[in-house]
Amino acid sequence: MTDTLAADPLAADIVPRVLATDAALALIAELRGEYGPVLFHQSGGCCDGSSPMCYPQGDYIVGDEDVRLGAIGGAPFYMSPSQFDYWQHTQLIIDVVPGRGGMFSLENGRGVRFLTRSRLFTDADLDHLAPLGRGAAA
């Protein structure tokens, strides 16, 4: 698994809040090649359950209170404050599995979908978590 923070030597001790598997990074690169800059929003809606949804930047309006966890494959990753309350103690690991993507997510129709896996942060991780951002300005 890789993350965008590891490339910064000053961030070597920072524990990212969101990572992506190699399969997810490959799909993100494919989507970026097709659609340009993209972003993720961890959905908490009724239609697609709680899944990472990928949109072209500019097509999805990030709320002022949405939490920016970091970036994967050059794509910022957001979630609503209520979802963050639920996921805040875990590192999100975005993966790709066979299936049907979210109705409005860019991977829909490709026979694969993004999936959020997670692991609880350790006590040692908690002292080194990557900073959070808020809203589109983050």
Side-chain angles (χ1 to χ4, degrees):
M1 283 177 267
T2 359
D3 67 286
T4 57
L5 295 173
D8 180 356
L10 298 175
D13 291 340
I14 293 178
V15 175
R17 293 174 183 270
V18 61
L19 298 170
T21 64
D22 290 340
L25 291 172
L27 182 54
I28 293 166
E30 181 181 323
L31 294 172
R32 289 179 70 189
E34 203 170 314
Y35 296 98
V38 299
L39 66 80
F40 282 85
H41 194 278
Q42 178 76 27
S43 147
C46 62
C47 300
D48 292 309
S50 179
S51 59
M53 305 286 283
C54 185
Y55 304 100
Q57 284 188 25
D59 282 8
Y60 183 87
I61 299 172
V62 176
D64 291 339
E65 295 300 314
D66 282 347
V67 180
R68 185 180 190 275
L69 298 179
I72 53 173
F77 194 99
Y78 297 91
M79 66 174 45
S80 69
S82 61
Q83 283 287 299
F84 181 70
D85 286 344
Y86 180 78
W87 292 98
Q88 67 182 316
H89 304 291
T90 63
Q91 183 177 59
L92 303 184
I93 303 158
I94 307 307
D95 200 359
V96 173
V97 296
R100 187 169 161 208
M103 184 179 297
F104 301 107
S105 193
L106 292 177
E107 82 279 9
N108 191 18
R110 296 171 190 265
V112 294
R113 66 184 182 95
F114 289 108
L115 175 77
T116 300
R117 300 181 191 279
S118 64
R119 74 165 185 88
L120 288 173
F121 287 122
T122 66
D123 288 341
D125 290 341
L126 295 176
D127 292 332
H128 302 284
L129 290 178
L132 295 169
R134 291 279 179 190

